[in-house]
């Protein structure tokens, strides 16, 4: 059997793309996954290009991989950086055998046989392609509901690497979830750059279905217990969607609402389509309808022209919403984006100071939230066995929970009383009955 080494960087969508590549490769020839570079017959790097740093590291990494690989092993560069650099990757690193874009995943078996193949068209439509099956975790499935992104946020390279937004037909989504449930999954994570924009455009005619209707359809699947999704866009969070989120028992009460900036002026420069007030109003609505819900977010600091006063607006939203999870980034100018051309770029050191302040305050808030967890009871879905006689799972609201336990807990949902907390995880005991 051939061996495959695959490195996956970036977002959940990339993780799913990696699973799709593994599945498609196995249609033609059996591959076994390996963590050892030297053993691999095929090395895939599934890249992210949202920020500059990982892109800069790509070429040194290719160099290291080329030195450690065995004679005759192939190297493929896939994902968003493959889409945006294309042929240049092979020019700079001829050791790379092929380049496969983030919107061309289904062509993996075509490129693998052609020396220096480059497949990166963002016009390519694989929204109705029935991928072969492979899942890293049998208890939890990830399912794409749309490809690409129709927004033009001025900082973001994703529309240039993943192309226009096309929704995947709802029957295909439902079929795929049914299949995963039959194989033991009880939880699904629905993926898209803008999940609640679902249904605006399909590649073939299909009866109309928006995200709220899709959630309703999916929640009818018997045996499926939990539904998660990432990420919704604040602009499309209408009341109907939030009411479904709050009232549907199967939808986990954890929601990622990417803020980006708390300043309405900066949000306008980012072309996000909402204001600080709208964002706060949507979070208040989530809290009113589902008080137990956890809200997480993404924030960019140091966007061109961000003043001290703008940054204070971001800090103000942090205080008001008290996000449980925060993914925060220093603005990174990206090729093919409007903001990279703005003349008022922010000094990198000033941006670092803002980032440090934001993160320090968030850590304090997080500590307060986690300190209050001891004694609480969570419903936990166990899906991973650890070596030290412990079992790991996620609470409905997304917290990582560890208990003493073995295989029989895997794939089950149990009530757990929390005994101890840290910043990133909880310890607890399973309650009987
Ligand atoms: N639509 C996706 C966003 C994908 S990019 C979603 O809603 O999850 C993931 C995150 O990376 C963005 O939310 C943003 O916070 C961050 N990001 C994107 N472009 C960036 C840039 N040029 N510099 C810094 N952070 C960026
Ligand atoms: Fe990027 Fe904005 Fe789409 S952040 S992925 S352009 S919603």
């Amino acid at each position: 059997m051939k061996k495959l080494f695959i490195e996956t960087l970036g977002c959940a969508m990339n993780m799913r793309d990696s699973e799709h590549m593994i599945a498609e490769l196995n249609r033609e020839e059996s591959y076994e996954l390996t963590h050892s570079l030297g053993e691999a017959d095929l090395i895939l790097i599934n890249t992210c290009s949202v920020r500059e740093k990982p892109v800069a590291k790509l070429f040194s990494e290719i160099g290291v991989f080329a030195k450690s690989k065995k004679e005759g092993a192939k190297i493929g560069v896939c994902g968003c950086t493959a889409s945006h650099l294309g042929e240049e990757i092979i020019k700079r690193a001829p050791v790379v055998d092929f380049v496969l874009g983030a919107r061309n995943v289904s062509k993996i078996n075509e490129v693998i046989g052609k020396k220096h193949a480059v497949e990166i068209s963002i016009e390519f439509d694989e929204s109705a392609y029935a991928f072969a099956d492979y899942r890293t975790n049998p208890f939890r499935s990830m399912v794409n509901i749309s490809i690409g992104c129709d927004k033009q946020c001025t900082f973001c390279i994703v529309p240039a690497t993943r192309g226009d937004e096309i929704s995947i037909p709802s029957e295909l989504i439902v079929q795929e979830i049914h299949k995963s449930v039959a194989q033991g999954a009880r939880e699904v994570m629905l993926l898209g750059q803008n999940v609640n924009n679902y249904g605006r455009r399909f590649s073939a005619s299909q009866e109309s279905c928006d995200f709220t209707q899709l959630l309703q359809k999916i929640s009818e699947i018997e045996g499926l217990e939990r539904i998660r999704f990432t990420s919704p866009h604040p602009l499309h969070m209408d009341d109907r969607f939030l009411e479904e989120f709050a009232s549907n028992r199967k939808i986990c009460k954890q929601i990622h609402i990417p803020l980006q900036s708390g300043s309405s002026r900066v949000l306008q420069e980012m072309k996000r389509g909402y204001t600080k007030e709208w964002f706060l109003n949507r979070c208040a609505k989530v809290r009113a309808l589902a008080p137990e819900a956890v809200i997480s977010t993404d924030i960019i600091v140091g966007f061109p022209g961000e003043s001290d006063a703008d940054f204070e607006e971001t800090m103000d939203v942090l205080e008001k919403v008290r996000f449980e999870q925060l993914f925060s980034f220093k603005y990174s100018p990206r090729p093919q984006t409007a903001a990279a051309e703005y003349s008022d770029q922010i000094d990198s050191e000033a941006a670092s100071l803002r980032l440090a302040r934001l993160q320090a305050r968030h850590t304090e808030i997080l500590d307060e939230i986690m300190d209050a967890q001891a004694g609480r009871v969570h419903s936990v879905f166990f899906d991973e066995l650890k070596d030290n006689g412990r079992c790991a799972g996620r609470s409905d609201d997304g917290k990582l929970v560890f208990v003493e336990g073995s295989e029989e807990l895997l794939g089950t949902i149990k009530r757990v009383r929390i005994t101890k907390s840290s910043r990133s995880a909880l310890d607890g005991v399973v309650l009987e009955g």
Side-chain angles (χ1 to χ4, degrees):
M1 207 190 278
K2 284 196 171 170
K3 294 204 169 160
L4 167 67
F5 177 97
I6 181 161
E7 180 187 40
T8 307
L9 305 164
C11 63
M13 209 146 214
N14 260 16
M15 285 162 67
R16 185 60 182 146
D17 289 344
S18 285
E19 289 186 346
H20 279 154
M21 288 192 277
I22 295 168
E24 288 297 308
L25 284 168
N26 275 286
R27 264 192 213 266
E28 303 277 318
E29 202 169 1
S30 293
Y31 278 88
E32 188 187 345
L33 290 175
T34 176
H35 293 293
S36 155
L37 265 176
E39 275 186 3
D41 300 283
L42 175 61
I43 297 169
L44 296 179
I45 314 176
N46 193 2
T47 58
C48 171
S49 60
V50 160
R51 282 165 296 276
E52 195 178 3
K53 233 190 221 156
V55 179
K57 276 186 3 205
L58 174 66
F59 290 96
S60 57
E61 183 159 61
I62 293 171
V64 172
F65 284 12
K67 271 201 200 119
S68 332
K69 79 180 180 92
K70 73 176 183 192
E71 179 88 32
K74 287 184 177 164
I75 299 182
V77 175
C78 318
C80 284
T81 307
S83 301
H84 108 251
L85 292 181
E87 207 138 331
E88 197 188 322
I89 296 177
I90 291 176
K91 283 205 189 110
R92 282 177 65 181
V95 63
V96 170
D97 290 278
F98 61 87
V99 173
L100 184 68
R103 203 183 166 102
N104 314 84
V105 170
S106 59
K107 294 199 165 165
I108 179 89
N109 286 316
E110 276 177 43
V111 292
I112 198 168
K114 289 187 215 150
K115 185 74 183 162
H116 288 171
V118 177
E119 277 290 348
I120 54 165
S121 166
I122 59 164
E123 310 291 319
F124 185 59
D125 177 6
E126 51 184 13
S127 64
Y129 183 81
F131 280 96
D133 223 21
Y134 175 84
R135 276 166 222 299
T136 316
N137 186 315
F139 305 109
R140 259 191 291 131
S141 57
M142 292 186 278
V143 173
N144 291 347
I145 67 164
S146 57
I147 60 173
C149 180
D150 269 355
K151 298 269 182 285
Q152 292 290 330
C153 301
T154 56
F155 53 79
C156 185
I157 196 172
V158 172
T161 63
R162 289 189 177 267
D164 290 346
E165 191 171 313
I166 306 179
S167 298
I168 291 171
S170 59
E171 316 85 80
L172 262 188
I173 297 171
V174 169
Q175 259 172 36
E176 194 181 337
I177 300 173
H178 265 296
K179 211 193 284 171
S180 73
V181 168
Q183 292 165 354
R186 295 181 75 183
E187 179 175 308
V188 65
M189 170 71 99
L190 307 174
L191 299 176
Q193 298 300 334
N194 250 314
V195 285
N196 51 344
N197 202 31
Y198 179 82
R200 293 286 162 104
R201 188 192 305 127
F202 294 97
S203 59
S205 70
Q206 98 135 39
E207 117 191 9
S208 89
C209 178
D210 68 9
F211 187 54
T212 305
Q213 290 164 320
L214 181 70
L215 287 172
Q216 288 162 347
K217 270 191 202 179
I218 291 172
S219 64
E220 282 162 16
I221 297 175
E222 230 170 283
L224 180 72
E225 302 280 347
R226 285 181 162 193
I227 303 169
R228 298 185 191 275
F229 49 83
T230 200
S231 291
H233 193 292
L235 178 65
H236 304 297
M237 296 184 78
D238 54 35
D239 286 359
R240 208 172 120 256
F241 159 63
L242 290 182
E243 278 153 18
E244 186 65 30
F245 168 75
S247 63
N248 190 323
R249 195 186 60 75
K250 290 194 180 178
I251 300 179
C252 291
K253 299 301 174 268
Q254 175 194 26
I255 189 159
H256 186 69
I257 318 183
L259 169 67
Q260 312 305 357
S261 169
S263 154
S264 296
R265 195 194 63 77
V266 172
L267 286 170
Q268 198 173 7
E269 295 292 315
M270 290 175 162
K271 290 213 165 63
R272 290 288 290 175
Y274 55 87
T275 59
K276 176 190 183 186
E277 289 67 35
W278 170 259
F279 185 91
L280 287 173
N281 171 287
R282 294 296 85 189
C283 292
K285 186 86 187 175
V286 170
R287 294 258 153 87
L289 292 170
E292 74 280 29
V294 154
I295 303 177
S296 58
T297 202
D298 289 350
I299 291 176
I300 297 176
V301 301
F303 182 80
E306 183 188 68
S307 65
D308 285 337
D310 290 322
F311 176 64
E312 293 309 324
E313 300 278 353
T314 300
M315 291 299 289
D316 185 48
V317 177
L318 182 72
E319 277 325 312
K320 290 198 163 104
V321 182
R322 293 173 63 85
F323 303 103
E324 186 161 315
Q325 257 185 314
L326 166 68
F327 302 92
S328 51
F329 316 99
K330 215 162 95 165
Y331 169 71
S332 167
R334 308 303 298 123
Q336 301 174 60
T337 63
E341 309 299 323
Y342 292 178
S343 56
D344 44 1
Q345 302 288 323
I346 297 289
D347 171 63
S348 164
E349 249 168 68
S352 297
L353 288 174
R354 285 179 190 167
L355 186 66
R357 207 181 121 206
L358 180 76
Q359 291 178 339
R361 180 62 192 128
H362 171 254
T363 304
E364 288 172 6
I365 292 172
L366 179 62
D367 283 346
E368 285 166 28
I369 293 172
M370 296 306 265
D371 285 351
Q373 290 294 317
R376 296 216 178 153
V377 175
H378 281 289
S379 144
V380 179
F381 177 40
F382 291 100
D383 65 358
E384 204 186 337
L385 212 53
K386 298 284 168 190
D387 334 323
N388 50 2
R390 305 217 300 163
C391 216
R394 293 271 166 190
S395 63
D396 184 275
D397 67 5
K399 294 181 180 63
L400 179 61
V401 181
F402 293 99
V403 299
E404 301 279 320
S406 52
E407 266 123 285
E408 62 269 20
L409 277 180
L410 286 180
T412 69
I413 297 176
K414 298 277 185 204
R415 281 157 44 83
V416 172
R417 183 177 302 284
I418 303 308
T419 51
K420 213 173 104 196
S421 67
S422 72
R423 204 167 277 165
S424 56
L426 301 172
D427 279 355
V429 287
V430 174
L431 299 175
E432 294 309 322

